[in-house]
């Protein structure tokens, strides 16, 4: 119902209508209970001389229908840390987004947890949705309750949703593979962590998403550190587990001075500061196509002996196709008749079965 306050000159008599039906009135007019819908109230006055005033009219609508309950509650944008749309976050003052609302009105969100003071926020509804921020939530599970109020003040039924705040970082994962060694630029690392965790790995300073096993290729030589850390579903990152390792410099073959076109046995110095390590390498140099060291063993004199396969081994002036041995020894090696190199150390001797 509505009550109208009427103002007019003394001695005048008011005439009132409600929805075009005459109603009694004096200095006030009360409509009584109204049904839902559009309504109008009008009045005019007649003075003692019989003069009639103009008519004043007001129109309004009675809305008794509550809007529907909100349909979707979620964390908005960056408030949804870790795994998306799971209702778990490490943000303690998150923005709550509610959709499925009326086209206008007000959103009210209340967040409650046993033993904690309830938190409330409100927002104006725009385009059937609204977002407001709840501040100061502690770790644990909170009950989120959302209602909407339309322009007439009708309150909807509620929509509830569970929100978990988790700011505790998980423990570090564990690297399970041993520290690698050797000259190979390709290294493989295995590790374990908590279920449902995501992982980030690095060799250096930049972490990237990874899973076990993690394979790195083309690692430069030198001392390195492999690191792996894990994040839980809330987006909390652990500290990193680390494993130190060294990639020894790769041996480089260089043709020594003194080799001539009549050489039947070629000597290549091994350039590198590390101990000779004939791990699997591929080289294309000195007309050696696809030179590959395929096997390693140590002879009784502790000399490192490598068995090499070379396709189309070409010495200037004379092609040779055969299996070749390489030994890191201090031999006296003949290049040509009368030309002898002695005391060669840290060298690799390539020769054929009929080498001089």
């Amino acid at each position: 119902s509505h009550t109208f306050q009427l103002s007019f000159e003394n001695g005048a008599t008011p005439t009132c209508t409600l929805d075009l039906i005459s109603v009694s009135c004096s200095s006030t007019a009360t409509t009584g209970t109204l049904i839902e819908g559009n309504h109008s109230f009008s009045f005019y006055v007649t003075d003692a001389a019989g003069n009639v005033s103009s008519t004043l009219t007001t129109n309004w609508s009675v809305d008794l229908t509550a809007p529907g309950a909100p349909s979707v509650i979620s964390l908005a944008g960056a408030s949804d840390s870790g795994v998306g749309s799971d209702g778990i976050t490490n943000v303690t003052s998150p923005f709550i987004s509610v959709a499925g609302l009326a086209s206008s009105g007000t959103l009210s969100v209340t967040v409650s947890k046993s033993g904690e003071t309830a938190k409330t926020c409100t927002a104006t509804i725009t385009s059937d949705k609204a977002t407001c921020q709840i501040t100061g939530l502690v770790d644990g599970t909170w009950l989120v309750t959302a209602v909407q109020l339309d322009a007439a003040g009708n309150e909807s039924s509620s929509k509830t949703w569970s929100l978990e705040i988790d700011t505790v970082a998980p423990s570090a994962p564990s690297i399970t593979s041993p520290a690698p060694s050797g000259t190979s630029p390709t290294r493989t690392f295995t590790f374990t962590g908590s279920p449902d965790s995501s992982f980030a790995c690095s060799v250096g300073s930049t972490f990237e998403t990874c899973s076990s096993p993690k394979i790195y290729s083309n690692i430069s030589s030198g001392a390195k550190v492999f690191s792996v850390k894990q994040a839980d579903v809330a987006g909390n990152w652990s500290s990193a587990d680390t494993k130190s390792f060294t990639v020894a410099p790769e041996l480089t073959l260089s043709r020594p001075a003194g080799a001539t076109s009549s050489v039947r046995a070629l000597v290549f110095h091994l350039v590198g500061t590390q101990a000779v390590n004939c791990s699997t390498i591929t080289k294309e140099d000195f007309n050696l196509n696809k030179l590959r060291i395929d096997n390693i063993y140590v002879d009784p004199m502790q000399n490192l002996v490598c068995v090499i396969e070379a396709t189309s081994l070409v010495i200037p002036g004379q092609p040779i196709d055969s299996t070749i041995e390489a030994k890191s020894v201090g031999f006296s090696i003949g290049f040509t008749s009368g030309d002898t190199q002695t005391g060669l150390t840290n060298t690799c001797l390539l020769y054929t079965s009929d080498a001089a």
Side-chain angles (χ1 to χ4, degrees):
S1 65
H2 291 263
T3 298
F4 297 96
Q5 301 293 326
L6 308 182
S7 179
F8 48 88
E9 67 180 36
N10 290 332
T13 302
T15 300
C16 302
T17 62
L18 174 64
D19 298 334
L20 303 179
I21 299 174
S22 295
V23 293
S24 62
C25 60
S26 55
S27 60
T28 62
T30 302
T31 65
T33 301
L34 298 175
I35 64 173
E36 190 169 35
N38 297 323
H39 299 275
S40 66
F41 175 83
S42 301
F43 92 99
Y44 63 88
V45 296
T46 304
D47 65 15
N51 299 306
V52 179
S53 72
S54 59
T55 300
L56 294 178
T57 300
T58 183
N59 299 296
W60 73 99
S61 178
V62 174
D63 177 6
L64 303 176
T65 303
S71 61
V72 179
I73 305 176
S74 61
L75 289 164
S79 294
D80 192 5
S81 66
V83 177
S85 303
D86 63 350
I88 304 174
T89 183
N90 60 14
V91 179
T92 57
S93 295
F95 284 88
I96 306 297
S97 178
V98 181
L101 305 174
S103 58
S104 62
T106 302
L107 167 71
S108 177
V109 175
T110 301
V111 180
S112 58
K113 179 180 184 293
S114 177
E116 299 291 335
T117 301
K119 314 280 186 175
T120 300
C121 66
T122 59
T124 300
I125 297 172
T126 303
S127 299
D128 307 331
K129 58 186 176 182
T131 298
C132 64
Q133 185 180 24
I134 297 290
T135 61
L137 301 184
V138 299
D139 278 22
T141 301
W142 293 77
L143 178 66
V144 180
T145 303
V147 297
Q148 61 174 323
L149 292 85
D150 63 17
N154 300 301
E155 182 176 307
S156 72
S157 57
S158 62
K159 170 73 173 180
T160 59
W161 182 64
S162 180
L163 170 64
E164 182 177 345
I165 304 297
D166 176 8
T167 62
V168 179
S171 58
S174 298
I175 300 172
T176 55
S177 54
S181 61
T183 62
S184 174
T186 299
R187 302 297 169 91
T188 300
F189 299 90
T190 58
F191 51 87
T192 60
S194 302
D196 301 322
S197 287
S198 56
F199 299 91
C201 301
S202 76
V203 172
S205 59
T206 303
F207 280 87
E208 61 181 354
T209 301
C210 63
S211 58
S212 181
K214 172 60 178 174
I215 302 174
Y216 286 96
S217 300
N218 300 317
I219 303 177
S220 60
S221 61
K224 307 293 179 181
V225 177
F226 169 71
S227 302
V228 58
K229 57 185 180 179
Q230 65 178 335
D232 60 22
V233 293
N236 301 300
W237 283 99
S238 71
S239 58
D241 190 18
T242 60
K243 183 80 71 173
S244 298
F245 66 100
T246 299
V247 177
E250 186 176 321
L251 303 180
T252 302
L253 301 181
S254 62
R255 184 172 180 173
T260 66
S261 60
S262 61
V263 171
R264 298 292 299 281
L266 292 181
V267 177
F268 294 91
H269 292 279
L270 300 179
V271 179
T273 58
Q274 83 293 355
V276 177
N277 188 335
C278 295
S279 60
T280 299
I281 59 173
T282 298
K283 290 290 182 186
E284 295 200 16
D285 198 2
F286 308 104
N287 294 322
L288 297 176
N289 298 325
K290 304 290 185 183
L291 174 61
R292 189 176 74 249
I293 300 177
D294 286 329
N295 194 18
I296 303 171
Y297 66 93
V298 178
D299 67 13
M301 298 300 293
Q302 299 301 304
N303 294 312
L304 187 65
V305 180
C306 307
V307 178
I308 299 177
E309 292 180 0
T311 61
S312 300
L313 173 64
V314 178
I315 298 175
Q318 183 177 6
I320 301 175
D321 294 293
S322 63
T323 298
I324 304 169
E325 281 188 345
K327 295 184 180 181
S328 57
V329 295
F331 281 44
S332 294
I333 302 171
F335 290 95
T336 60
S337 177
D339 181 7
T340 302
Q341 297 285 334
T342 61
L344 293 176
T345 60
N346 196 32
T347 61
C348 189
L349 169 63
L350 306 184
Y351 65 94
T352 66
S353 59
D354 61 349

